[in-house]
Amino acid sequence: MIAQASHTFAIVDDDKRVLEGLRELLESVGYVAKTYRSPSALLDSGELNICDCVITDIKMEPMDGFELEQAVRGQEPGKPMILMTGRTDIEDRGYVGADDHRVFMRKPLNSQALLQAITRLLAFPR
């Protein structure tokens, strides 16, 4: 699967291996990937507006992925987001609803499922 158009992704995780793996996956299909070790690193970068989608871990400190989502929604309400978690108490969402620009995915991520979720999110009107 090769990206139809160049889209830029912000990847936020405190695990360097996850950042590197996701960056490599996205770049291998033609996307641009920017990595951030914390939510504040993304928010302080001034680059949120150039990212077409945010992929973030949920469990981080001191700001978690849900708090990052609130901050992103405050600046860009329709920004697509993928929230990743290793937690089993959060229901997987493999769809995007009428008012929903987010997808929950469990770690470890399935590469094909992630790319399919990205395709759906990018096709959804903002």
Side-chain angles (χ1 to χ4, degrees):
M1 169 189 280
I2 300 297
Q4 295 296 322
S6 182
H7 291 284
T8 301
F9 290 80
I11 306 166
V12 184
D13 201 306
D14 53 4
D15 185 333
K16 185 178 177 181
R17 294 169 299 173
V18 171
L19 291 175
E20 291 173 1
L22 288 175
R23 180 184 51 76
E24 289 174 7
L25 172 65
L26 293 175
E27 289 176 351
S28 75
V29 295
Y31 293 127
V32 175
K34 297 184 168 286
T35 59
Y36 306 89
R37 295 286 304 263
S38 69
S40 60
L42 168 60
L43 296 172
D44 294 344
S45 73
E47 297 181 330
L48 180 61
N49 64 328
I50 65 168
C51 296
D52 299 298
C53 181
V54 176
I55 301 173
T56 184
D57 189 20
I58 291 174
K59 187 176 180 183
M60 296 178 286
E61 293 185 13
M63 177 185 271
D64 67 23
F66 291 119
E67 293 167 317
L68 173 60
E69 181 183 26
Q70 286 182 318
V72 169
R73 298 279 179 245
Q75 294 180 40
E76 298 192 36
K79 177 83 67 187
M81 295 192 68
I82 296 173
L83 289 88
M84 309 176 292
T85 185
R87 294 171 48 181
T88 57
D89 60 334
I90 296 177
E91 179 183 344
D92 283 346
R93 289 190 184 182
Y95 65 90
V96 180
D99 292 335
D100 201 0
H101 292 86
R102 73 176 174 182
V103 172
F104 286 103
M105 299 192 80
R106 284 205 184 115
K107 289 181 178 181
L109 296 178
N110 174 295
S111 298
Q112 289 305 314
L114 175 63
L115 294 174
Q116 289 171 355
I118 286 169
T119 299
R120 285 193 309 269
L121 282 169
L122 294 177
F124 197 77
R126 289 166 99 186

